[in-house]
Amino acid sequence: MNKPKLWTKDFISVSLSNFFLFLTFYILLVTLPSYALDELHSSASQAGLMTTVFLLSAIVSRPLAGQWMERAGNKKVLLTALIIFAAASLFYFFPKTITGFLVVRLLHGIGFGMATTAVGTIVADLIPAARRGEGMGYFVMSTNMAMVMGPFVGLLAIQQWGAKILFILSVIVAIASLITGLSVKLTKTVEPNHVEVLSSFSFRNLFEASAVPIAIVGSFLAIVYSALLSFVSIYANEIHLASVSSLFFVVYAIILLLSRPFTGKWLDQYGPNVITYPCLILFAFGMFVLSQSGGVVTFLLSAGLIGLGWGTLFPTFQTIAIQDAAPRKRGLATATFLSIYDIGIALGSFLVGLIAAKMDYSSLYFYCSFYVLFGVVLFYFLHTKKKNASAKQETQQSSRVQEI
């Protein structure tokens, strides 16, 4: 039997739009704090707000975008969000104070939060149900590639050509996200059910309850991932591997790219448990190897293990969040998952920073490896056990019906 087609024009377009969206995010993420310190003469805490304000506005806007998608349709929300995101990119040229920049970051974060919710929902509708694990894995690769390229491009631009070229580049990439988003054509089946659109607004309707348990697991592990994003380059300097620190996420991405054709298909064929538990072990082992790294081989080996472990877990969790929700609730499920996940990233950056001030990075990553292992317990109670109980209940109900 032939598999339903995955690599359609619309799937490629929405993946490219997501790539350019996150490329803009990472280009600015690594450069704006240093710009605030050097050009705006801000304090370190004010520079840190560049990221905090952006993420908080994205977190707040996502549930609103999720409910709006039920009412107005996926495409309309996507285009509105991408226009806000591209317009906000233009505003970086004007502020001369840290306060002005924070206002721009607030607006930019709103566009980013809405857009990431929309693209995540649209791609879930475009991917055939039988290939959802595989398709979501490939889609998330667009985010991973942006994570690798963005910091490199951003630092190169600001160091070699200055802030003006950096901002021009971010505008061009944001417009590319808008253009590729415009080319996505949605069928009527993925537009809102107009009977459901009449539901009244309420705070409870801003979140999809079915996505919360797996989102908590993702957020819990995102705290460790934030420790990698924030401190792995500093740790590389500490262990005299500064010359290869930039290769960490390159190896991470390469392993992801090589493993994706297999891990996504296995998720569809065998279910999330077969994928999640081994990947949690790989993630924990990768953190342990990183904590013991003293040379290039072990440092880059840890990148590969973490890439295979955490790099597979994130799309798996997002797939679970979408599959557990009703079709019309996929927008809210995506918003709920990403918002709770980003809370973990934001909280992790703060907490890990405090912990890192009390111990060396080798010890930090050593303890992180055991922290990840606790994720096995959390996943079992928040997902596996609940699913087993639900399956047992459905079997019992089916047996009663047959007896009647």
mmCIF file of all heavy atoms in Angstrom, residues 115-134:
data_model
loop_
_atom_site.group_PDB
_atom_site.id
_atom_site.type_symbol
_atom_site.label_atom_id
_atom_site.label_comp_id
_atom_site.label_asym_id
_atom_site.label_seq_id
_atom_site.Cartn_x
_atom_site.Cartn_y
_atom_site.Cartn_z
ATOM 1 N N ALA A 115 2.942 33.483 15.382
ATOM 2 C CA ALA A 115 3.387 32.799 14.165
ATOM 3 C C ALA A 115 3.796 31.359 14.446
ATOM 4 O O ALA A 115 3.472 30.449 13.674
ATOM 5 C CB ALA A 115 4.544 33.564 13.525
ATOM 6 N N THR A 116 4.520 31.125 15.536
ATOM 7 C CA THR A 116 4.947 29.763 15.846
ATOM 8 C C THR A 116 3.752 28.872 16.177
ATOM 9 O O THR A 116 3.751 27.677 15.852
ATOM 10 C CB THR A 116 5.947 29.742 17.017
ATOM 11 O OG1 THR A 116 5.437 30.519 18.112
ATOM 12 C CG2 THR A 116 7.288 30.310 16.598
ATOM 13 N N THR A 117 2.736 29.443 16.798
ATOM 14 C CA THR A 117 1.504 28.687 17.056
ATOM 15 C C THR A 117 0.816 28.321 15.749
ATOM 16 O O THR A 117 0.373 27.188 15.548
ATOM 17 C CB THR A 117 0.543 29.505 17.932
ATOM 18 O OG1 THR A 117 1.173 29.789 19.182
ATOM 19 C CG2 THR A 117 -0.755 28.758 18.175
ATOM 20 N N ALA A 118 0.748 29.295 14.830
ATOM 21 C CA ALA A 118 0.055 29.073 13.562
ATOM 22 C C ALA A 118 0.774 28.047 12.689
ATOM 23 O O ALA A 118 0.142 27.134 12.150
ATOM 24 C CB ALA A 118 -0.086 30.396 12.806
ATOM 25 N N VAL A 119 2.094 28.175 12.543
ATOM 26 C CA VAL A 119 2.807 27.236 11.668
ATOM 27 C C VAL A 119 2.778 25.823 12.254
ATOM 28 O O VAL A 119 2.657 24.829 11.513
ATOM 29 C CB VAL A 119 4.269 27.674 11.393
ATOM 30 C CG1 VAL A 119 4.315 28.951 10.604
ATOM 31 C CG2 VAL A 119 5.075 27.802 12.672
ATOM 32 N N GLY A 120 2.864 25.709 13.585
ATOM 33 C CA GLY A 120 2.810 24.395 14.214
ATOM 34 C C GLY A 120 1.466 23.716 14.017
ATOM 35 O O GLY A 120 1.394 22.492 13.856
ATOM 36 N N THR A 121 0.406 24.511 14.026
ATOM 37 C CA THR A 121 -0.933 23.964 13.816
ATOM 38 C C THR A 121 -1.164 23.607 12.353
ATOM 39 O O THR A 121 -1.696 22.541 12.031
ATOM 40 C CB THR A 121 -1.987 24.979 14.272
ATOM 41 O OG1 THR A 121 -1.742 25.339 15.631
ATOM 42 C CG2 THR A 121 -3.388 24.403 14.145
ATOM 43 N N ILE A 122 -0.757 24.498 11.461
ATOM 44 C CA ILE A 122 -0.951 24.269 10.028
ATOM 45 C C ILE A 122 -0.206 23.030 9.560
ATOM 46 O O ILE A 122 -0.732 22.203 8.807
ATOM 47 C CB ILE A 122 -0.520 25.513 9.225
ATOM 48 C CG1 ILE A 122 -1.526 26.643 9.436
ATOM 49 C CG2 ILE A 122 -0.387 25.193 7.738
ATOM 50 C CD1 ILE A 122 -1.088 27.985 8.887
ATOM 51 N N VAL A 123 1.030 22.874 10.020
ATOM 52 C CA VAL A 123 1.804 21.719 9.564
ATOM 53 C C VAL A 123 1.186 20.423 10.089
ATOM 54 O O VAL A 123 1.209 19.387 9.402
ATOM 55 C CB VAL A 123 3.292 21.846 9.974
ATOM 56 C CG1 VAL A 123 3.517 21.471 11.434
ATOM 57 C CG2 VAL A 123 4.172 20.994 9.070
ATOM 58 N N ALA A 124 0.607 20.451 11.290
ATOM 59 C CA ALA A 124 -0.057 19.261 11.824
ATOM 60 C C ALA A 124 -1.268 18.882 10.982
ATOM 61 O O ALA A 124 -1.578 17.693 10.824
ATOM 62 C CB ALA A 124 -0.481 19.504 13.271
ATOM 63 N N ASP A 125 -1.951 19.883 10.419
ATOM 64 C CA ASP A 125 -3.086 19.613 9.541
ATOM 65 C C ASP A 125 -2.650 19.115 8.170
ATOM 66 O O ASP A 125 -3.346 18.329 7.530
ATOM 67 C CB ASP A 125 -3.940 20.883 9.371
ATOM 68 C CG ASP A 125 -4.751 21.205 10.619
ATOM 69 O OD1 ASP A 125 -5.109 20.261 11.346
ATOM 70 O OD2 ASP A 125 -5.000 22.393 10.878
ATOM 71 N N LEU A 126 -1.491 19.576 7.712
ATOM 72 C CA LEU A 126 -1.007 19.202 6.379
ATOM 73 C C LEU A 126 -0.409 17.795 6.345
ATOM 74 O O LEU A 126 -0.470 17.117 5.317
ATOM 75 C CB LEU A 126 0.043 20.209 5.896
ATOM 76 C CG LEU A 126 -0.450 21.630 5.595
ATOM 77 C CD1 LEU A 126 0.743 22.545 5.313
ATOM 78 C CD2 LEU A 126 -1.405 21.618 4.404
ATOM 79 N N ILE A 127 0.171 17.368 7.460
ATOM 80 C CA ILE A 127 0.826 16.057 7.494
ATOM 81 C C ILE A 127 -0.230 14.952 7.563
ATOM 82 O O ILE A 127 -1.135 15.013 8.389
ATOM 83 C CB ILE A 127 1.760 15.954 8.722
ATOM 84 C CG1 ILE A 127 2.894 16.976 8.633
ATOM 85 C CG2 ILE A 127 2.359 14.550 8.826
ATOM 86 C CD1 ILE A 127 3.697 17.093 9.915
ATOM 87 N N PRO A 128 -0.127 13.923 6.715
ATOM 88 C CA PRO A 128 -1.056 12.793 6.820
ATOM 89 C C PRO A 128 -0.974 12.142 8.195
ATOM 90 O O PRO A 128 0.117 12.013 8.764
ATOM 91 C CB PRO A 128 -0.563 11.824 5.726
ATOM 92 C CG PRO A 128 0.237 12.670 4.788
ATOM 93 C CD PRO A 128 0.842 13.756 5.620
ATOM 94 N N ALA A 129 -2.111 11.744 8.743
ATOM 95 C CA ALA A 129 -2.148 11.191 10.097
ATOM 96 C C ALA A 129 -1.224 9.992 10.255
ATOM 97 O O ALA A 129 -0.593 9.812 11.300
ATOM 98 C CB ALA A 129 -3.580 10.803 10.460
ATOM 99 N N ALA A 130 -1.110 9.174 9.209
ATOM 100 C CA ALA A 130 -0.285 7.965 9.284
ATOM 101 C C ALA A 130 1.208 8.271 9.322
ATOM 102 O O ALA A 130 2.016 7.402 9.665
ATOM 103 C CB ALA A 130 -0.583 7.059 8.087
ATOM 104 N N ARG A 131 1.584 9.528 8.984
ATOM 105 C CA ARG A 131 3.008 9.900 8.951
ATOM 106 C C ARG A 131 3.282 11.113 9.843
ATOM 107 O O ARG A 131 4.250 11.839 9.630
ATOM 108 C CB ARG A 131 3.442 10.203 7.511
ATOM 109 C CG ARG A 131 3.209 9.052 6.545
ATOM 110 C CD ARG A 131 3.734 9.351 5.163
ATOM 111 N NE ARG A 131 5.181 9.400 5.114
ATOM 112 C CZ ARG A 131 5.885 9.636 3.986
ATOM 113 N NH1 ARG A 131 5.250 9.840 2.847
ATOM 114 N NH2 ARG A 131 7.203 9.672 4.024
ATOM 115 N N ARG A 132 2.433 11.306 10.867
ATOM 116 C CA ARG A 132 2.552 12.524 11.677
ATOM 117 C C ARG A 132 3.860 12.587 12.455
ATOM 118 O O ARG A 132 4.488 13.637 12.537
ATOM 119 C CB ARG A 132 1.359 12.642 12.628
ATOM 120 C CG ARG A 132 1.345 13.959 13.418
ATOM 121 C CD ARG A 132 -0.034 14.317 13.873
ATOM 122 N NE ARG A 132 -0.881 14.688 12.757
ATOM 123 C CZ ARG A 132 -2.179 14.399 12.678
ATOM 124 N NH1 ARG A 132 -2.754 13.701 13.629
ATOM 125 N NH2 ARG A 132 -2.880 14.786 11.641
ATOM 126 N N GLY A 133 4.283 11.480 13.038
ATOM 127 C CA GLY A 133 5.551 11.476 13.769
ATOM 128 C C GLY A 133 6.723 11.792 12.861
ATOM 129 O O GLY A 133 7.591 12.596 13.196
ATOM 130 N N GLU A 134 6.740 11.159 11.691
ATOM 131 C CA GLU A 134 7.808 11.402 10.719
ATOM 132 C C GLU A 134 7.778 12.842 10.229
ATOM 133 O O GLU A 134 8.808 13.525 10.175
ATOM 134 C CB GLU A 134 7.624 10.440 9.541
ATOM 135 C CG GLU A 134 8.679 10.565 8.459
ATOM 136 C CD GLU A 134 8.395 9.685 7.261
ATOM 137 O OE1 GLU A 134 7.331 9.008 7.244
ATOM 138 O OE2 GLU A 134 9.224 9.677 6.330
#
